[in-house]
Amino acid sequence: MTNDKSKPTLTIDNYLDNHYIHRSNWLRAAVLGANDGIISISSLAIGIAAASTSREPIILATVAGLVAGALSMAAGEYVSVSSQTDTEKADIEREKVELSEMPEEELHILAQIYEKRGLKKETAMQVALELTEKDALAAHIRDELGINEISQANPIQAALASGASFTIGGVLPLLVVLFAPVKGMEYWLYGSTILFLILLGAMSAKTGGSSISKAILRITIWGTIAMGLSAGVGYLFGVKV
């Protein structure tokens, strides 16, 4: 009988570290950025390619879209997440005032929360009392407002993840624009983009622990719709010269 002494002791800290939910914030921003970079830049390039027979305008539109898209993605994510963070901070400040002005009412609210989760009335009150004695504000932030370390948003992290992933995603169709034949380039872009989206869907699903087939299906369907509509606009309004 062997005793594996190298295996670490299981604790609440290292147990939770292995859960996929810890990756949700940055993974969401990264997948959104990469997906947007691949689809938007490919769709833009396909639209221009369908309307032109020369490479230069396609490259110009693709590079301009890549730069503008990456900056817009980062700024938009930062503003969005910052707004969420400001709302969370406002609620926390409000909770501080309520705990100061009506501590008994807040204690009973906390006990009712635990009771609704399945604890007996006496047990719920006992839990509320003990958590209030330890850190009343932390208990209310977590259990009344639903804010915790996992769900709390980080604007800088989200902005960097979105901007960087958009750039990485957008560079892929740019490479196709630079090296694929001008004639029929829209078809080269569509085929390569579907491949890029399949790889992205598989990677994001693997990282997040979700279904790979579902991730690939939804990402390719929406990508195909976007590129198809963009090609239609290019054929409809473009002038081949």
Side-chain angles (χ1 to χ4, degrees):
M1 182 176 178
T2 59
N3 185 17
D4 187 4
K5 295 183 179 181
S6 63
K7 188 176 181 179
T9 303
L10 189 64
T11 66
I12 186 63
D13 295 321
N14 58 35
Y15 174 73
L16 292 177
D17 286 342
N18 294 325
H19 285 65
Y20 295 113
I21 192 65
H22 286 277
R23 308 171 186 173
S24 61
N25 283 331
W26 66 263
L27 182 60
R28 179 196 62 83
V31 171
L32 176 62
N35 180 72
D36 197 14
I38 293 172
I39 293 178
S40 62
I41 300 303
S42 291
S43 299
L44 178 63
I46 286 174
I48 302 299
S52 175
T53 54
S54 57
R55 190 184 302 272
E56 288 75 15
I58 307 174
I59 295 176
L60 177 60
T62 304
V63 172
L66 178 59
V67 174
L71 295 176
S72 175
M73 195 74 183
E77 192 72 21
Y78 181 83
V79 171
S80 174
V81 176
S82 294
S83 298
Q84 177 185 338
T85 304
D86 290 342
T87 302
E88 291 175 352
K89 289 180 179 178
D91 264 343
I92 292 173
E93 291 301 318
R94 178 181 177 181
E95 199 62 37
K96 289 180 180 178
V97 174
E98 291 177 346
L99 283 170
S100 174
E101 294 179 351
M102 43 187 235
E104 286 298 321
E105 290 84 349
E106 287 293 303
L107 175 64
H108 283 87
I109 289 174
L110 199 60
Q112 290 173 36
I113 291 173
Y114 299 141
E115 191 175 347
K116 285 185 177 181
R117 291 181 182 176
L119 295 181
K120 293 180 179 179
K121 190 178 184 67
E122 297 78 11
T123 307
M125 178 55 73
Q126 184 62 34
V127 171
L129 282 168
E130 292 186 15
L131 289 177
T132 299
E133 289 176 1
K134 182 180 180 182
D135 192 335
L137 181 61
H140 282 271
I141 290 174
R142 180 182 61 251
D143 297 319
E144 184 181 338
L145 303 180
I147 302 172
N148 54 51
E149 294 83 358
I150 296 174
S151 65
Q152 269 189 314
N154 186 323
I156 297 294
Q157 183 188 57
L160 291 176
S162 293
S165 58
F166 183 98
T167 302
I168 294 171
V171 164
L172 297 176
L174 175 61
L175 293 175
V176 178
V177 168
L178 291 173
F179 297 109
V182 176
K183 185 177 181 180
M185 181 179 287
E186 54 267 41
Y187 302 107
W188 283 93
L189 280 164
Y190 174 75
S192 59
T193 299
I194 291 299
L195 177 60
F196 298 150
L197 291 175
I198 289 174
L199 293 174
L200 175 63
M203 289 172 58
S204 62
K206 184 69 175 176
T207 305
S210 58
S211 170
I212 294 178
S213 58
K214 287 183 180 178
I216 290 175
L217 186 63
R218 61 174 172 249
I219 205 171
T220 51
I221 287 176
W222 286 106
T224 297
I225 293 173
M227 290 183 287
L229 292 175
S230 298
V233 171
Y235 282 120
L236 186 61
F237 297 102
V239 178
K240 294 285 187 178
V241 293

